[in-house]
Amino acid sequence: MEVTANMPKPVVGAAPALPSVLDRYFAAAEEKRLVDEKLSTLRQALVSEGLQQIAQCIERYQLTAEDLKEVMPPQAPSNSFQKVGSTTRRSYRDPTTGKIWNGHGKRPSWLLEHGPDACLIT
């Protein structure tokens, strides 16, 4: 690289440059990784300690699986694709023209004029 007169010359004794945003981002990401690692280790220790206490209670009180079922919350459905809520879609008919709107697209003005209860089909 050729030095020209237009290039700035380094200033002797100048303050060091502040870290760039990218440098600060990487430093914060490393801090986060360390904190996440510490949390994971603490959680593993907590779970291990909890399981030991549970095992002691089961042994001390001679609990069975049936005893535990009474106090455990019900399990979620095994099918993760199971739909929750209503699967039917409501349709509306304009009483004057007979046009139908099934909920897709912009709400028609006739639905606002007549009210949804008066136009409901299903």
Side-chain angles (χ1 to χ4, degrees):
M1 182 171 165
E2 187 177 306
V3 177
T4 63
N6 294 338
M7 291 181 67
K9 296 182 178 155
V11 179
V12 177
L18 295 174
S20 72
V21 173
L22 186 60
D23 292 337
R24 293 185 314 208
Y25 173 83
F26 284 132
E30 179 63 18
E31 287 177 30
K32 181 185 180 303
R33 187 190 66 76
L34 292 173
V35 168
D36 287 344
E37 190 176 290
K38 185 175 182 179
L39 284 172
S40 177
T41 303
L42 289 172
R43 185 185 184 287
Q44 288 173 352
L46 185 64
V47 168
S48 176
E49 186 178 302
L51 288 174
Q52 288 174 357
Q53 290 176 359
I54 291 169
Q56 289 172 356
C57 288
I58 289 173
E59 186 178 331
R60 179 181 299 152
Y61 301 111
Q62 298 179 354
L63 299 173
T64 65
E66 290 300 316
D67 297 328
L68 296 177
K69 284 182 183 177
E70 293 177 14
V71 295
M72 295 297 296
Q75 291 186 350
S78 61
N79 183 357
S80 62
F81 294 105
Q82 184 176 5
K83 292 184 178 182
V84 177
S86 175
T87 58
T88 60
R89 182 175 295 276
R90 295 180 175 209
S91 297
Y92 301 90
R93 176 178 287 124
D94 182 359
T96 55
T97 64
K99 290 183 179 179
I100 294 177
W101 181 69
N102 62 2
H104 290 287
K106 186 178 176 184
R107 182 175 288 204
S109 60
W110 53 261
L111 185 63
L112 297 174
E113 292 170 11
H114 299 289
D117 292 335
C119 301
L120 183 62
I121 299 171
T122 56

